[in-house]
Amino acid sequence: MASLKELKNRISSVKSTQKITKAMQMVAAAKLRRAQEAAESARPYAERMEGVLGSLAASMIGTPGAPALLAGTGSDQTHLLIVATAERGLCGAFNANIAKMARQTAAELTAQGKTVKILCVGRKGATALRREWGDNFIGEIDFQGVRAIGFAQAQEVTEKVLGMFEDGEFDVATLFYAHFKSVISQVSTAQQIIPAQFDASDEAAGPDLKGAVYDYEPDEEAILADLLPRNVSVQILKGLLENAASEQGARMAAMDNATRNAGEMIDKLTITYNRTRQAQITKELIEIISGAEAL
Amino acid sequence: MTNNLQFDLVSPERQLLSETVEMVVVPGMEGDFGVLVDHAPFISTLRPGVLVVTREGGAEERIFVRGGFADVTPSGLTVLAEDAVAVSDIDRADLDQRIKDASEDVADASSDDARMKAQAHLDALKELQAAA
């Protein structure tokens, strides 16, 4: 049995771990609120963008000369997977889930004979995927030291992606991120961003024009050509912001669990400690009594 | 029947304005256009320039916008701009520095494409300087 001193040391070490996890949980909670606000305030822009593009795209799709960002390159041979993860660990299965999803998709695509290229945004995803898919990496972007994800970061990713698209390096791009459903639930999501996809339902939800027809300035094609690249960055921004909120949510839940587990461990160790102490006292008493009786 | 226009100004990061105003003059790609209530449905891309919001009573606010588009529907005007700064908030010294940087970019650009991009950036900044 462990000695009293050993037990005491363990209890104090678990206690200090608990203090750390507790602090991390509170930090995550504070950051979560900010990240959530950012994700929510980015929504109106993305929604409006989608609404306008949806109605524009509906009229353009199928016509010759539709921009490649909308209609695709005509092939789906090369896939680009943009895997957005966190910069740090200690947030439960958050990074692992996104990486798992990307890994599965990559395996499926490879099995179908397609070429897979991977662009990692965030350090943790890169670490998780490097061993298996390292050869397919074409780039890594990390935002270490960036305090709050903003449009500038999304733009950085977009420029890289669009540059590669123009050079014909891939046909289809999919963004992997965790959709922020609630504090306790984050859903790993794969969203195809190039060629752009619009739900048919979005058009139905378009603005009521009361029978009038839209005027376009310049013409529809020019607007579409201008807006599609912007849409890519908006979608990426949306993904990154959702991801940031999800990360903090996942970390909060993970740290809450860790704090609780540490508490349970402390309770157990304390009981063992008390029992050991008691046993030692009893033993000493018996020794004294039997010594006295022997006289 | 109201005489006021619902105006929303949205940037990718947040909603900047959402209020009813009298008139908005938007710097469209093919020229400025004014939007009053009951404007015909209209979509235009933006060129970098100053958007003028006239509130009820005639008070004006000037906002510099760059990149994006304006969407006029019967329910109001929505401007989606990548960059939007109130003209009164522009920091002149910072702007001068950025113009200097941008001019250097134009001079250093290695390809035609990059030069065009840098030039567009510089033009946008100069427009901003003229507005301030």
Side-chain angles (χ1 to χ4, degrees):
Chain A
M1 191 186 268
S3 76
L4 277 185
K5 186 154 193 308
E6 272 169 27
L7 277 170
K8 226 179 193 167
N9 283 344
R10 282 210 61 193
I11 291 176
S12 71
S13 106
V14 175
K15 265 188 185 154
S16 54
T17 309
Q18 190 190 28
K19 268 184 206 150
I20 294 170
T21 57
K22 179 102 193 159
M24 280 183 78
Q25 188 211 338
M26 289 200 287
V27 171
K31 280 190 181 163
L32 170 70
R33 218 181 26 177
R34 242 177 297 144
Q36 209 175 342
E37 268 167 26
E40 267 160 23
S41 46
R43 258 176 219 163
Y45 191 92
E47 275 165 17
R48 299 276 187 154
M49 189 71 132
E50 242 165 83
V52 170
L53 273 175
S55 55
L56 269 171
S59 62
M60 284 294 291
I61 210 147
T63 56
L69 280 174
L70 179 64
T73 52
S75 117
D76 61 344
Q77 185 51 41
T78 313
H79 285 250
L80 175 71
L81 311 183
I82 307 166
V83 185
T85 50
E87 293 301 330
R88 296 181 196 201
L90 287 181
C91 44
F94 173 78
N95 291 313
N97 281 343
I98 301 176
K100 193 170 103 194
M101 193 168 186
R103 202 176 294 140
Q104 271 172 1
T105 314
E108 276 167 31
L109 288 170
T110 315
Q112 287 168 23
K114 313 255 194 249
T115 317
V116 175
K117 293 178 177 179
I118 297 178
L119 172 67
C120 283
V121 180
R123 203 165 51 91
K124 280 285 159 182
T127 329
L129 291 170
R130 184 172 288 117
R131 196 173 56 85
E132 222 174 321
W133 295 97
D135 299 341
N136 302 55
F137 276 22
I138 48 163
E140 284 170 41
I141 299 176
D142 70 50
F143 294 135
Q144 245 171 335
V146 176
R147 294 191 58 184
I149 299 283
F151 196 60
Q153 280 76 40
Q155 200 84 48
E156 189 186 328
V157 180
T158 312
E159 268 168 26
K160 191 155 183 159
V161 172
L162 286 180
M164 286 191 289
F165 186 69
E166 274 160 25
D167 296 343
E169 286 186 36
F170 64 89
D171 302 310
V172 180
T174 313
L175 176 67
F176 290 84
Y177 68 98
H179 173 68
F180 184 78
K181 209 164 151 199
S182 72
V183 179
I184 45 163
S185 161
Q186 298 87 30
V187 190
S188 307
T189 315
Q191 189 193 359
Q192 184 183 322
I193 51 172
I194 299 176
Q197 279 189 325
F198 301 102
D199 293 340
S201 55
D202 278 353
E203 294 161 42
D208 175 22
L209 298 186
K210 295 178 182 152
V213 184
Y214 262 122
D215 262 341
Y216 295 99
E217 188 182 294
D219 54 22
E220 284 159 276
E221 281 157 55
I223 293 188
L224 208 51
D226 184 54
L227 290 192
L228 282 168
R230 292 187 202 284
N231 184 50
V232 173
S233 54
V234 168
Q235 297 303 332
I236 290 180
L237 174 69
K238 201 178 95 182
L240 290 181
L241 287 175
E242 293 256 351
N243 225 13
S246 299
E247 178 198 341
Q248 299 304 341
R251 176 164 300 127
M252 209 176 105
M255 287 302 123
D256 188 41
N257 272 337
T259 311
R260 203 165 331 116
N261 287 344
E264 275 169 25
M265 206 160 165
I266 290 172
D267 287 349
K268 270 190 206 153
L269 284 172
T270 314
I271 288 175
T272 324
Y273 174 79
N274 287 344
R275 287 211 179 122
T276 319
R277 191 173 53 98
Q278 199 66 54
Q280 209 170 348
I281 293 169
T282 316
K283 201 176 87 192
E284 277 169 15
L285 277 178
I286 290 173
E287 274 166 8
I288 294 169
I289 293 166
S290 46
E293 270 175 5
L295 281 176
Chain B
M1 182 71 218
T2 55
N3 280 321
N4 289 317
L5 171 76
Q6 173 63 36
F7 171 55
D8 297 297
L9 177 61
V10 194
S11 82
E13 278 151 16
R14 63 202 166 98
Q15 182 144 19
L16 295 163
L17 274 181
S18 177
E19 56 186 317
T20 54
V21 299
E22 206 167 284
M23 181 176 79
V24 182
V25 177
V26 185
M29 189 59 87
E30 295 181 350
D32 289 7
F33 59 92
V35 181
L36 289 160
V37 75
D38 286 334
H39 193 287
F42 183 58
I43 292 181
S44 171
T45 46
L46 301 180
R47 74 180 153 72
V50 176
L51 179 145
V52 184
V53 184
T54 310
R55 296 220 167 72
E56 269 171 277
E60 280 189 358
E61 189 179 351
R62 292 156 61 79
I63 301 165
F64 180 80
V65 291
R66 187 179 65 82
F69 66 97
D71 177 19
V72 188
T73 63
S75 54
L77 164 69
T78 309
V79 174
L80 287 96
E82 265 170 31
D83 246 2
V85 197
V87 169
S88 52
D89 290 346
I90 295 171
D91 179 352
R92 284 201 171 232
D94 176 51
L95 187 63
D96 289 341
Q97 182 59 40
R98 277 164 64 175
I99 287 184
K100 219 176 116 211
D101 291 347
S103 330
E104 280 164 16
D105 284 348
V106 174
D108 295 347
S110 48
S111 67
D112 281 351
D113 221 28
R115 187 170 309 117
M116 256 169 69
K117 251 187 197 166
Q119 185 67 46
H121 184 61
L122 178 63
D123 289 347
L125 288 171
K126 281 196 171 144
E127 187 85 30
L128 181 59
Q129 191 181 36

